[in-house]
Amino acid sequence: MPLQPITHPLLDRAGVRHGFFTREGGVSTGIYEGLNTGVGSRDDPAAIAENRRRIAHHLGGDSDDLAACFQIHSAVAHVAEEGWKGARPEGDATVTAIPGVICAVLTADCAPILLADTEAGVVGAAHAGWKGALDGIVHATVAAMQALGAEPRRMVAVVGPCIAQPSYEVGADFQDRFEHHDPGSARFFAPGESADKRLFDLPAFVLWRLEQAGVADAAWTGDDTRVDAARFYSNRRAYLSGEADFGRLMSAISLG
């Protein structure tokens, strides 16, 4: 089966190579069946390496061209001046102005964000779970792109497949934490099944963060990772199903 990444018109029109890769087209088996790219998973390392190679090839490069962090739910963004050849510095975003470098992030419910300012020739990829989104990974990524000559008013950004509000139940204290940090964030929470539960809208919160950072045009693909097991890995779904581990999806972007 060929790779079938999700692409978006905003990035298509920008003329950048990109993809929110699904499970389709990979060689992993068992609970990881498909295109698992999670080096931190307990999948066969050879299968993970082949899956990552296939994604790099799809985007016109090879595995050495990938620039993907060891993700720590931080607000740390790195500049890649070349492919990292398997190195994984700690952080949660990568930006570049070098054609051929493939900025990539891994997710399994968290929000992947792909960004581009093609006039400046700068692209980036960010991993935004609730903690990174709250603590500033979006602003850090935009700032790193600005340091390379990009301007937020020219940027386009797409939030990829992630856990959607109906699937993301959290504690009421979670809402309190967000409201204390960012007054006005209450609108991203809805009542849960009990009084002490809430449903959190991660993609909408990330889009708000992009708006706050001055990004001119942003959208979400609309895909909920938890409910579509055939296409997406999901940490929450794996936990609820009692599975021992889960795969990771890769989202990637390159100037070509």
Side-chain angles (χ1 to χ4, degrees):
M1 178 185 296
L3 275 61
Q4 298 184 40
I6 295 166
T7 58
H8 194 276
L10 283 179
L11 294 169
D12 287 337
R13 288 195 294 269
V16 293
R17 293 178 174 175
H18 73 284
F20 298 96
F21 290 85
T22 67
R23 299 179 69 157
E24 296 160 318
V27 299
S28 294
T29 59
I31 61 173
Y32 308 104
E33 183 177 358
L35 195 69
N36 174 35
T37 56
V39 176
S41 72
R42 295 191 288 274
D43 192 8
D44 177 5
I48 296 169
E50 172 59 17
N51 291 335
R52 292 167 74 99
R53 185 201 67 78
R54 290 185 181 195
I55 288 174
H57 178 75
H58 184 90
L59 294 176
D62 60 40
S63 298
D64 285 348
D65 297 318
L66 291 170
C69 296
F70 181 93
Q71 296 170 183
I72 55 173
H73 297 276
S74 69
V76 175
H78 292 279
V79 175
E81 296 183 350
E82 61 180 358
W84 288 346
K85 302 176 176 64
R88 295 192 301 144
E90 290 188 349
D92 287 272
T94 310
V95 306
T96 192
I98 308 299
V101 174
I102 303 170
C103 297
V105 292
L106 307 186
T107 58
D109 284 339
C110 292
I113 314 165
L114 301 181
L115 309 94
D117 175 354
T118 49
E119 183 175 328
V122 181
V123 295
H127 158 255
W130 71 263
K131 187 175 187 302
L134 186 64
D135 290 347
I137 189 59
V138 171
H139 287 74
T141 306
V142 170
M145 293 177 67
Q146 284 181 279
L148 296 177
E151 290 290 341
R153 61 182 174 80
R154 294 195 305 253
M155 291 181 192
V156 295
V158 179
V159 180
C162 62
I163 193 165
Q165 187 171 30
S167 297
Y168 199 2
E169 188 172 67
V170 298
D173 59 326
F174 199 86
Q175 179 176 346
D176 296 338
R177 179 173 184 172
F178 272 71
E179 288 193 70
H180 177 76
H181 192 287
D182 280 289
S185 59
R187 67 182 183 274
F188 302 110
F189 293 86
E193 290 191 1
S194 59
D196 63 340
K197 297 295 184 182
R198 302 288 186 272
L199 297 173
F200 177 51
D201 194 340
L202 176 63
F205 183 78
V206 172
L207 288 171
W208 187 46
R209 278 288 193 243
L210 288 163
E211 180 183 346
Q212 289 175 323
V215 173
D217 205 354
W220 174 43
T221 62
D223 301 285
D224 183 351
T225 46
R226 181 185 160 190
V227 301
D228 192 346
R231 300 175 72 204
F232 306 118
Y233 300 112
S234 167
N235 181 359
R236 180 67 63 103
R237 187 178 62 245
Y239 172 77
L240 293 173
S241 301
E243 295 178 350
D245 197 15
F246 52 92
R248 279 73 162 178
L249 305 160
M250 181 176 282
S251 300
I253 189 167
S254 172
L255 288 166

